[in-house]
């Protein structure tokens, strides 16, 4: 099946006062129609920069300096600003992490929704108003008419996130990029937002690119998972494969950092030592070497490629070759046996 979005060897560079840095390198993946891919990793791993490069929102100092971002036969990295404006918000929409900063505080919700709809659809103001109210009802806002007259400051975080989803989905985009859509929301609202996104995906066949650090959200939403570290993909797998048979030490560390129900309350929570290296100070060899409990001399000398571990499972780690020779699966976990991976907390 032809992918709806394909990133090929993408590198993103930013010009600084002193130098040019590349916080994202060697990123390759495909997104298919109706599929949800979750991108996970610590802050500074390159998740948001990757998605901003797709949207063409890198600013005047950033650019895709290598590779291509193919969508509908077009390389998005080569399009003009005018051409991108026709795609952004229409065929590819984005829900930003902070809805309060993404919405204009001096314009009403209705004004901003109508503006978004009329920009991409040939509708009269009255028709756009009707469609805006309908979208608000679709995302679970019953008093849509009164919310249309409100300013962003008057709404709760959950309501604002629903408004952002309504705005993103108003033109029936083919791809929805959601950057930490449930951050800072209480668990009840989180569940409602995730249920809403799944419902919209089922009804409209929208493909979703989900950025999150919450592995419970990954287990609930994703078909495939991409783990990023220091600007690179270090593991990519089907969601079941990633939870049950993850192979990269960094993925193992992420999963072990999460509290489990029933865990010994006296036992300290596991943590990955150290921090993500800065783009201007990337180490030779494997970028995870300084924090990896399994580091070898080869890891310090050679940069590992993204190796094929079979069945669509890819891992950027020299341990894979060693494990294959020994006939093992270093970090296998027992399968949960349920329809989706078991949530972790």
């Amino acid at each position: 099946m032809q992918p709806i979005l394909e990133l090929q060897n993408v590198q993103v560079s930013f010009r600084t006062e002193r130098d040019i840095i590349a916080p994202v390198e060697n990123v390759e993946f495909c997104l298919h129609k109706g599929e949800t891919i979750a991108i996970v990793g610590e802050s500074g791993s390159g998740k948001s920069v990757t998605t901003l490069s797709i949207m063409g929102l890198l600013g005047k100092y950033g650019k895709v300096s290598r590779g291509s971002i193919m969508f509908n036969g077009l390389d998005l990295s080569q399009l003009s600003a005018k051409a991108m404006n026709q795609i952004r918000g229409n065929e590819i929409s984005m829900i930003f992490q902070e809805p309060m900063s993404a919405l204009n505080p001096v314009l009403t919700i209705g004004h901003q929704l109508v503006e978004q709809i009329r920009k991409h659809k040939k509708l009269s103001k009255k028709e756009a108003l009707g469609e805006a109210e309908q979208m608000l009802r679709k995302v679970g806002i019953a008093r849509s008419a009164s919310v249309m007259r409100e300013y962003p400051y008057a709404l709760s975080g959950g309501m604002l996130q629903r408004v952002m989803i309504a705005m993103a989905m108003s033109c029936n985009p083919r791809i929805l990029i959601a950057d930490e859509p449930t951050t800072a929301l209480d668990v009840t609202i989180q569940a409602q937002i995730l249920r809403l996104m799944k419902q919209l995906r089922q009804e409209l066949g929208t493909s979703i690119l989900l950025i999150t650090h919450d592995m419970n959200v990954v287990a609930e939403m994703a078909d495939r998972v991409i783990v990023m570290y220091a600007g690179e993909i270090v593991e990519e797998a089907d969601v079941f494969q990633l939870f049950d048979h993850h192979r990269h030490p960094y993925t193992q560390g992420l999963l072990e950092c999460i509290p489990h129900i029933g865990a010994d309350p006296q036992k300290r929570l596991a943590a990955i030592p150290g921090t993500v290296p800065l783009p201007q100070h990337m180490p030779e060899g494997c970028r995870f070497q300084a924090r990896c409990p399994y580091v070898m001399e080869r890891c310090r000398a050679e940069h590992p490629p993204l190796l094929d571990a079979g069945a669509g499972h890819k891992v950027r780690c020299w341990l894979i070759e060693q494990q294959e020779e020994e006939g093992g699966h270093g970090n296998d976990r027992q399968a949960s046996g349920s329809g989706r991976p078991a949530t972790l907390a």
Side-chain angles (χ1 to χ4, degrees):
M1 183 170 60
Q2 187 73 17
I4 189 171
L5 179 72
E6 183 175 7
L7 276 68
Q8 301 172 338
N9 195 30
V10 169
Q11 178 187 68
V12 178
S13 300
F14 286 89
R15 188 174 73 254
T16 68
E17 291 181 357
R18 296 183 178 180
D19 205 352
I20 294 176
I21 61 171
V24 167
E25 292 185 290
N26 311 314
V27 172
E28 293 191 354
F29 66 85
C30 296
L31 177 67
H32 293 88
K33 182 178 180 181
E35 181 182 38
T36 297
I37 292 180
I39 303 179
V40 302
E42 294 170 275
S43 296
S45 61
K47 308 184 302 295
S48 294
V49 172
T50 298
T51 52
L52 289 173
S53 69
I54 296 170
M55 295 294 291
L57 295 174
L58 294 171
K60 63 179 180 179
Y61 298 112
K63 67 175 182 177
V64 176
S65 52
R66 188 178 67 218
S68 61
I69 303 172
M70 302 305 297
F71 171 74
N72 202 24
L74 300 171
D75 184 352
L76 300 183
S77 66
Q78 301 299 317
L79 294 184
S80 66
K82 183 177 180 181
M84 271 306 299
N85 280 336
Q86 295 301 311
I87 292 173
R88 190 190 302 121
N90 187 22
E91 297 194 74
I92 305 177
S93 290
M94 187 166 184
I95 304 170
F96 293 92
Q97 184 173 348
E98 295 290 344
M100 182 60 80
S101 60
L103 292 166
N104 191 322
V106 299
L107 297 176
T108 64
I109 298 298
H111 182 106
Q112 295 180 68
L113 265 171
V114 168
E115 182 182 44
Q116 159 76 6
I117 292 169
R118 295 192 72 191
K119 181 177 180 180
H120 296 290
K121 293 185 176 181
K122 294 180 179 179
L123 298 177
S124 66
K125 188 174 181 179
K126 184 178 180 180
E127 290 171 330
L129 279 167
E131 187 154 326
E133 286 192 33
Q134 184 181 353
M135 282 305 304
L136 289 178
R137 288 193 294 270
K138 188 173 284 188
V139 298
I141 298 177
R143 54 184 190 91
S144 57
S146 61
V147 167
M148 292 274 286
R149 296 189 293 270
E150 298 279 10
Y151 289 87
Y153 72 85
L155 302 181
S156 68
M159 289 282 278
L160 286 173
Q161 199 62 285
R162 288 170 185 267
V163 169
M164 289 298 298
I165 293 174
M167 191 174 292
M169 300 302 295
S170 60
C171 294
N172 298 338
R174 298 173 68 185
I175 298 173
L176 175 65
I177 299 174
D179 188 352
E180 301 278 10
T182 58
T183 295
L185 301 180
D186 64 61
V187 290
T188 304
I189 301 300
Q190 281 186 27
Q192 293 174 359
I193 295 296
L194 295 178
R195 194 180 309 120
L196 172 62
M197 289 175 63
K198 287 197 288 187
Q199 179 185 339
L200 293 171
R201 179 183 64 183
Q202 291 166 359
E203 290 178 359
L204 303 174
T206 304
S207 304
I208 298 176
L209 201 55
L210 175 66
I211 304 170
T212 184
H213 64 272
D214 189 336
M215 298 305 283
N216 289 304
V217 172
V218 173
E220 176 73 18
M221 291 288 296
D223 300 307
R224 281 193 298 134
V225 187
I226 290 170
V227 182
M228 291 191 70
Y229 180 78
E232 292 184 320
I233 294 174
V234 296
E235 186 160 11
E236 178 183 351
D238 172 271
V239 65
F240 301 99
Q241 188 78 2
L242 188 102
F243 276 83
D244 298 338
H245 305 294
H246 48 272
R247 307 286 296 276
H248 198 282
Y250 180 61
T251 308
Q252 178 184 353
L254 288 179
L255 293 173
E256 288 178 349
C257 287
I258 301 169
H260 294 253
I261 291 175
D264 183 358
Q266 303 302 318
K267 186 178 179 182
R268 286 183 64 88
L269 196 62
I272 304 173
T275 58
V276 180
L278 296 173
Q280 57 268 45
H281 299 298
M282 288 298 176
E284 295 291 330
C286 176
R287 296 182 177 182
F288 189 58
Q289 59 174 280
R291 309 174 72 188
C292 182
Y294 311 108
V295 64
M296 306 177 292
E297 282 305 314
R298 188 180 188 184
C299 304
R300 296 187 174 95
E302 299 179 52
H303 185 258
L306 200 59
L307 299 169
D308 187 356
H313 194 164
K314 300 176 183 178
V315 188
R316 191 182 298 278
C317 183
W318 291 123
L319 284 173
I320 297 304
E321 288 187 354
Q322 181 178 314
Q323 290 165 6
E324 293 299 332
E325 289 172 4
E326 296 171 356
H329 294 277
N331 297 322
D332 280 5
R333 294 290 183 269
Q334 294 298 317
S336 65
S338 61
R340 294 200 67 78
T343 52
L344 302 170

